[in-house]
């Protein structure tokens, strides 16, 4: 199964975001680094939409590279921002979650901010919710890389939007490195549960989407099976 025609991958240079097209308009999943609103809206136009057609902005977690342009895109589109409760709190302050080595985390905590999203513009979501995107987009708690992270899965299209729970490095699926992972055991459990869905497309936060490529995931599945002592 190729990438569905109603999903557009946007490579912003260091991180990915994705546009989904539905009958009622468009949904943006993650919003890249600050300063990427022009790029995102240009790709929206190429995909057939105008800023006012953007209905939803879903943020998987509040890291600056996934949420940095959320406020700017929201202001130019009027879209509602959807995020988990912990992510929403961070978005209102333009703050990233804690998951980095201590020196880097100190800098992030004290000196790095991105555009704040007013609380009134955020719709909280939780594990088990289903959003009206791609025939029903399931919200899945995905802690590990950060504790606030959620992934999104569309059973009707087979597309998993993994945030940073899964990333593509050198055409091999992997977890984020332990040094930038809040809870390694949780990250492994999350990855195992997401792979158990057998998604046809894994739309990663970093690296090209993995599209109908079992070979790219074989090594990670084997590693997780050994770590957890059960087959995936």
């Amino acid at each position: 199964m190729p990438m569905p025609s109603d999903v557009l991958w946007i490579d912003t240079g260091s991180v990915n975001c994705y546009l989904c097209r539905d009958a009622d308009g468009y949904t943006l999943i993650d919003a890249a680094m600050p300063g990427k609103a022009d790029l995102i809206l240009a790709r929206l136009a190429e995909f057939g939409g105008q800023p006012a057609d953007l209905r939803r902005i879903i943020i998987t977690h509040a890291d600056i590279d996934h949420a940095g342009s959320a406020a700017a895109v929201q202001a130019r589109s009027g879209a509602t921002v959807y995020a988990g409760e912990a992510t929403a709190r961070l978005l209102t302050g333009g703050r990233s979650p804690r998951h980095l080595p201590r020196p880097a985390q100190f800098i992030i905590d004290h000196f790095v901010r991105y555009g704040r999203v007013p609380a009134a513009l955020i719709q909280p979501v939780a594990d088990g919710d289903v959003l009206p995107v791609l025939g029903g987009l399931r919200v899945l708690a995905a802690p590990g890389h950060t504790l606030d992270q959620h992934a999104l899965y569309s059973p009707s299209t087979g597309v998993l939007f993994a945030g940073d729970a899964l990333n593509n490095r050198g055409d091999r699926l992997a977890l984020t490195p332990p040094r930038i992972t809040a809870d390694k055991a949780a990250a492994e459990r999350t990855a195992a549960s997401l792979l158990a869905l057998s998604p046809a497309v894994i739309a990663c936060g970093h690296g090209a989407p993995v599209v109908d490529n079992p070979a790219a995931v074989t090594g990670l599945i084997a590693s997780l099976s050994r770590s957890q002592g059960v087959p995936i």
Side-chain angles (χ1 to χ4, degrees), residues 15-227:
V15 67
N16 301 324
C17 47
Y18 298 88
L19 281 167
C20 304
R21 179 171 52 200
D22 288 283
D24 73 335
Y26 294 78
T27 299
L28 175 68
I29 298 177
D30 282 338
M33 290 288 288
K36 297 298 184 180
D38 286 346
L39 171 61
I40 290 168
L41 294 176
R43 296 305 306 277
L44 173 63
E46 294 169 7
F47 203 35
Q50 299 300 315
D53 299 323
L54 190 65
R55 301 284 186 253
R56 290 166 287 270
I57 301 168
I58 307 174
I59 302 299
T60 61
H61 62 294
D63 268 343
I64 190 171
D65 61 336
H66 289 257
S69 289
V73 174
Q74 192 288 323
R76 293 170 61 176
S77 66
T80 299
V81 176
Y82 291 76
E85 184 177 351
T87 302
R89 289 196 297 269
L90 291 164
L91 291 175
T92 62
R95 299 174 64 94
S96 297
R98 299 183 62 84
H99 66 103
L100 298 175
R102 186 171 297 175
Q105 193 66 57
F106 179 86
I107 293 170
I108 291 288
D109 287 346
H110 291 85
F111 302 108
V112 178
R113 294 287 185 273
Y114 53 85
R116 301 182 180 192
V117 180
L121 302 177
I122 302 175
Q123 176 67 48
V125 297
D127 182 62
D129 287 351
V130 178
L131 301 177
V133 179
L134 298 180
L137 193 62
R138 292 167 50 192
V139 178
L140 305 170
H145 168 65
T146 69
L147 300 182
D148 68 309
Q149 182 171 244
H150 287 78
L152 306 153
Y153 180 58
S154 164
S156 66
T157 65
V159 179
L160 170 68
F161 299 97
D164 278 349
L166 298 166
N167 288 303
N168 184 359
R169 296 202 295 271
D171 204 31
R172 293 181 65 86
L173 203 64
L175 308 183
T176 51
R179 68 181 182 279
I180 59 169
T181 297
D183 186 327
K184 182 176 181 290
E188 291 180 348
R189 291 192 297 270
T190 287
S193 67
L194 295 180
L195 291 174
L197 298 170
S198 299
V201 177
I202 301 175
C204 305
H206 300 271
V210 176
V211 181
D212 198 18
N213 185 2
V217 307
T218 300
L220 180 58
I221 289 175
S223 174
L224 292 170
S225 296
R226 289 193 299 270
S227 174

